[in-house]
Amino acid sequence: MKKHLLPLLCLCMFMSSLPGVAASAKMMLPADTVAKLKPEVRQVVETVIKASGTFSIEAVSDLYAPNAVVADEQPPFSWNGQLAGVQWINSVQKAVKDFKIRDFKVDLQRIKTFQQTDEIVYLIAPVEYTGLVNGEHFEEQGAFSFVLRIVSGKWLIKSQAWVPRNGM
């Protein structure tokens, strides 16, 4: 019995120290991390999310890096290159048409998770899509993860991936 007491005691000590470690890790940001999301980055994300609800390919046509990657749940599931955003918006519009969704709307929730330096940003954008399918309320919640980089002095999307809430 005594030989099992030491590992159990060590495990208890480790578990009790986790909240303190998590709290101190949260407060420590890398020296080059910016504490507030830059307005120009927020604007790019808001434009993309809004365009996914209005199907505005013009709004996103110059927001993606030449080597961008976009991943989403409708076929063909990924798009690459500078036109990845345009192709993705077209696929969203096709899915809404195919599923006969009416009153399609998108709501960008508060962005709380991000890491940002002067040249690169990683963020999570919680989003809710709603509408009507056959007269019934339709709702899909999830989040986009984005990576944006400065390219020729402009913030561009390097990667974008959708994860539905039921996949989290």
Side-chain angles (χ1 to χ4, degrees):
M1 206 50 143
K2 288 183 180 182
K3 67 180 178 180
H4 295 291
L5 188 57
L6 183 59
L8 182 59
L9 182 60
C10 289
L11 179 62
C12 288
M13 289 176 59
F14 173 73
M15 295 299 285
S16 66
S17 71
L18 284 180
V21 170
S24 64
K26 208 175 203 182
M27 294 190 62
M28 293 180 359
L29 294 174
D32 60 350
T33 298
V34 179
K36 185 175 179 187
L37 189 60
K38 294 182 182 223
E40 55 272 24
V41 170
R42 181 179 303 281
Q43 182 62 46
V44 169
V45 172
E46 288 174 353
T47 299
V48 168
I49 301 302
K50 182 179 177 184
S52 73
T54 61
F55 317 123
S56 176
I57 60 173
E58 296 82 15
V60 301
S61 64
D62 64 345
L63 297 181
Y64 290 81
N67 58 349
V69 176
V70 175
D72 204 341
E73 62 188 351
Q74 64 263 356
F77 309 114
S78 72
W79 302 267
N80 301 318
Q82 203 159 7
L83 294 177
V86 169
Q87 295 166 335
W88 168 68
I89 293 289
N90 284 333
S91 74
V92 172
Q93 185 175 24
K94 182 181 182 323
V96 167
K97 183 179 176 184
D98 289 351
F99 288 107
K100 298 178 180 156
I101 301 173
R102 302 282 178 241
D103 299 326
F104 187 65
K105 292 182 177 59
V106 61
D107 180 31
L108 173 62
Q109 311 287 308
R110 184 170 160 238
I111 298 171
K112 297 183 269 184
T113 304
F114 68 92
Q115 292 291 319
Q116 176 178 256
T117 69
D118 287 335
E119 298 176 356
I120 190 164
V121 176
Y122 167 79
L123 65 87
I124 303 294
V127 174
E128 179 179 62
Y129 289 100
T130 59
L132 297 171
V133 177
N134 298 325
E136 298 287 323
H137 179 72
F138 156 81
E139 175 181 300
E140 183 173 22
Q141 297 177 338
F144 284 101
S145 67
F146 285 95
V147 174
L148 291 87
R149 292 182 89 63
I150 287 284
V151 178
S152 301
K154 184 177 178 181
W155 285 100
L156 296 179
I157 297 168
K158 170 88 171 97
S159 68
Q160 168 186 329
W162 169 255
V163 176
R165 184 171 186 81
N166 63 4
M168 297 198 276

